[in-house]
Amino acid sequence: MIQQIDYFVIAPPLVLALVAGLVLLLDVFLPARPRTKPALGLVTMAGILISLGFVIAQAAGGGGPRSTFCVPPERASGLCSFVVDGFTLTFGVLVLVAAVVVVLMSMTELAGGGIPVGEWYFLLLCTLVGAVTLPASRDLIMLVVALELVSLPVFALTAMRRYDGRASEAAVKLFVVSVVSTAVMLFGVSLLYGLAGTVYLSRLSAVFSGRIPAPGMADGAALTTGQDLPAVVTVGVVLVVAGFAFKIAAVPFHSWAADVYQGAPIPVAALLSVISKAAGFAGLMLVLTIGLSGQAATWAPIVAIIAALTMTVGNLLAMRQRSAVRLLAWSSVAQSGYVLAPLAVAAASGSAITTVSASMAYLLIYAAMNLGAFAVVLLVSRTSAGNELDDYRGLALRSPAAGLSLAFCLICLAGLPPGLAGLFAKVFVFRELVEGGSGWLAVIMAANTVIGLYYYATWTARLFTPGEARIPHPPPPMTRPAIGLAVAVAVLFSLAPQLALDLTAL
């Protein structure tokens, strides 16, 4: 039987892949003129917007989940590798809207020269193909391939500033960490496949919940979650969780984050903190809540401990930073702990849907705030090479739009009014933790929220403190739209914080 492909279902990543090839061809054949760089940026932007249009069309079409790349019905029913549902659409919107901001920031970064423009946009689009494909992946092979497609181009993007020792060091560190995490995750995946005899998440769920016999067990016995659970299953689950923990910079696999963020170009740091992190969380949620839902009693305590350590270590290290980018890096580590926390109560709550919705809502709000902060950091980096926190003294007085935008994003990340989006994001998570019976994790999160207030408030106070007078520099042309779009989304969530939860229920 010939495989039937629904091209409307795969349209978002397909458009991005085609535009990536187009950008590379245009870079080869277009003459080297001053207008070529912005032209390639506009082509990239157009491809992202078209892909976003397809995602919106899929959401507006309704009719329930749609799938393709499925096993023929005569061999098995309901086993598909690519599924578009509310989960896929939510992450698609998040990734593509964030990509628009990253492209605008990239136009500012590339305007100074020294970075190959065509290769930059090609690699960026390849990363987006993986980030859009990963939430739709429903088998282990496609999950791993999509996750690597997100990770591999970022190595080259990080090292694009030639003859920059710090960027080269960051690229090497990111490469080594990613290779190790992939090896660990593949080992875990191989163990799970060896026991279950399938790569499809829905079939894995049936095997590991005991609904169907496990081919890897003697006499076709069913796997259960009691004391007779084979140790190899636990090892496989732990290795898979550890592999994804590397990707999202969760403790104890977090040490690469600050050095990589500081050494990479700021648009790449923003990409790592939002798009790459969102893709990692999408894969982790799929594997845990679908493929390993029957083993929640095994992985939920591990996730709870990792979440508590991640938010605590991230906040404590952020308090010591004097560099803006390093502070945002450790803050991003702490935010990963908040996103992980609801998944830790999936077993106790009995419903993975509500816990995943809380994590996704927090991730949506965090993404908007973090992108706005990185856009302002990019603006300041054009005039302050060190990009220390002291360089932001009086920014709200010298450049009111940029200063107020950064202050609003930091207040939202801290969860203080008028940044109601950040406050409600934490309320979403608190509610799930308390209702799931993890009061100890809620207490740890509350303590970490107070710790986070310190460094967010300290940075915000610097923005309104009169500082050294400086010669004003006109902002790069694409920085203002990047800041404006990120802050507009942040304001939207602040005015209607429930919108974040509504988006997760598409």
Side-chain angles (χ1 to χ4, degrees), residues 35-435:
R35 294 185 179 181
T36 301
K37 292 181 179 179
L40 293 177
L42 293 176
V43 171
T44 302
M45 181 72 73
I48 293 172
L49 293 177
I50 293 172
S51 181
L52 180 60
F54 275 111
V55 172
I56 295 173
Q58 290 172 350
R66 301 183 63 171
S67 57
T68 188
F69 300 119
C70 300
V71 175
E74 62 269 16
R75 297 185 58 186
S77 178
L79 298 181
C80 298
S81 297
F82 196 100
V83 177
V84 173
D85 53 13
F87 181 88
T88 305
L89 295 173
T90 301
F91 271 100
V93 171
L94 166 61
V95 166
L96 293 173
V97 172
V100 171
V101 179
V102 171
V103 170
L104 291 172
M105 295 171 65
S106 297
M107 291 182 180
T108 298
E109 183 73 22
L110 299 174
I115 297 178
V117 178
E119 290 91 329
W120 176 283
Y121 288 123
F122 171 77
L123 293 168
L124 175 59
L125 286 166
C126 288
T127 299
L128 297 179
V129 172
V132 172
T133 301
L134 198 146
S137 304
R138 294 299 185 273
D139 71 60
L140 295 175
I141 296 175
M142 183 170 284
L143 269 172
V144 172
V145 171
L147 190 60
E148 288 310 295
L149 189 54
V150 174
S151 303
L152 291 175
V154 180
F155 309 150
L157 285 172
T158 303
M160 275 288 182
R161 287 193 302 212
R162 298 171 181 174
Y163 312 111
D164 185 335
R166 181 174 291 178
S168 300
E169 179 185 355
V172 172
K173 287 183 178 179
L174 186 59
F175 173 76
V176 172
V177 169
S178 185
V179 168
V180 171
S181 67
T182 301
V184 170
M185 185 169 56
L186 284 175
F187 189 21
V189 165
S190 66
L191 293 177
L192 298 180
Y193 170 72
L195 280 168
T198 182
V199 296
Y200 291 95
L201 298 182
S202 58
R203 182 62 64 88
L204 282 172
S205 176
V207 172
F208 289 121
S209 61
R211 296 196 302 271
I212 63 175
M217 297 292 290
D219 302 323
L223 291 170
T224 60
T225 58
Q227 294 182 353
D228 57 338
L229 179 70
V232 68
V233 177
T234 304
V235 173
V237 172
V238 171
L239 291 177
V240 169
V241 172
F244 278 106
F246 274 106
K247 302 295 185 182
I248 61 176
V251 175
F253 314 105
H254 65 290
S255 57
W256 59 271
D259 291 338
V260 172
Y261 278 47
Q262 189 174 29
I266 292 179
V268 178
L271 184 149
L272 282 168
S273 73
V274 176
I275 296 176
S276 180
K277 188 180 292 289
F281 272 112
L284 181 62
M285 291 175 187
L286 286 173
V287 171
L288 294 183
T289 61
I290 298 180
L292 299 175
S293 58
Q295 303 296 330
T298 301
W299 55 257
I302 299 173
V303 172
I305 294 171
I306 292 176
L309 290 174
T310 300
M311 63 179 75
T312 303
V313 172
N315 279 319
L316 291 177
L317 290 175
M319 291 177 64
R320 304 177 55 190
Q321 304 306 316
R322 295 295 177 264
S323 166
V325 176
R326 292 183 73 88
L327 189 149
L328 287 176
W330 291 122
S331 166
S332 177
V333 171
Q335 301 292 341
S336 294
Y338 300 143
V339 179
L340 275 175
L343 299 179
V345 299
S349 65
S351 173
I353 297 177
T354 56
T355 56
V356 169
S357 295
S359 291
M360 291 171 64
Y362 194 99
L363 192 59
L364 284 171
I365 294 172
Y366 154 79
M369 314 311 169
N370 226 43
L371 284 173
F374 268 109
V376 178
V377 168
L378 175 64
L379 175 62
V380 174
S381 70
R382 313 304 292 182
T383 57
S384 302
N387 216 333
E388 300 289 325
L389 293 182
D390 288 335
D391 295 330
Y392 291 80
R393 289 187 182 276
L395 180 63
L397 307 177
R398 300 193 306 271
S399 178
L404 293 176
S405 297
L406 179 57
F408 180 76
C409 291
L410 294 175
I411 288 173
C412 286
L413 287 171
L416 293 174
L420 295 180
L423 175 63
F424 276 86
K426 289 180 171 58
V427 170
F428 295 152
V429 176
F430 272 119
R431 183 178 61 188
E432 290 302 320
L433 294 179
V434 173
E435 292 178 355

